[in-house]
Amino acid sequence: MDLQKLNKICFTICIVCIVLGTVLALAMIWTEIKDNEFVWKSWLTIGVFFLASALTLSVTKTLGGKTKPGEE
C-alpha cells in the first residue's frame, strides 16, 4: 500500500474522530445525558479509532523514510 494514501486515510480518520468528539461533547453539554452507557461506548470507540490512526501515522512517518529507493 502506498504510504501517502495510508497517511491520508489515517489523517482523515483522526479529523473525523475530532469532529465526532466535539459533536458528542456539545450534545452532552446541551442535553440531559448522564451516566448513559451509549455515551461512554461512543467516547471509547472514538478514542480507539483516533489512537489507532494516530499510532499508524506515527509508525508510517518513522518507518516510511527508511525504505531504500526502488523498494516501493
Side-chain angles (χ1 to χ4, degrees):
M1 178 179 247
D2 187 20
L3 291 180
Q4 287 182 342
K5 288 180 184 177
L6 181 62
N7 285 341
K8 286 181 182 181
I9 291 169
C10 290
F11 185 71
T12 303
I13 291 172
C14 286
I15 295 298
V16 168
C17 287
I18 291 170
V19 170
L20 289 175
T22 302
V23 169
L24 185 59
L26 287 173
M28 289 176 68
I29 291 170
W30 289 99
T31 61
E32 294 294 323
I33 300 175
K34 294 182 180 178
D35 296 329
N36 190 344
E37 186 176 335
F38 176 77
V39 174
W40 286 108
K41 287 184 179 183
S42 298
W43 275 117
L44 293 173
T45 302
I46 290 170
V48 166
F49 277 120
F50 182 83
L51 183 62
S53 297
L55 288 174
T56 303
L57 274 173
S58 67
V59 168
T60 57
K61 292 285 184 182
T62 303
L63 299 179
K66 296 184 180 183
T67 59
K68 296 177 186 173
E71 286 187 0
E72 297 174 12

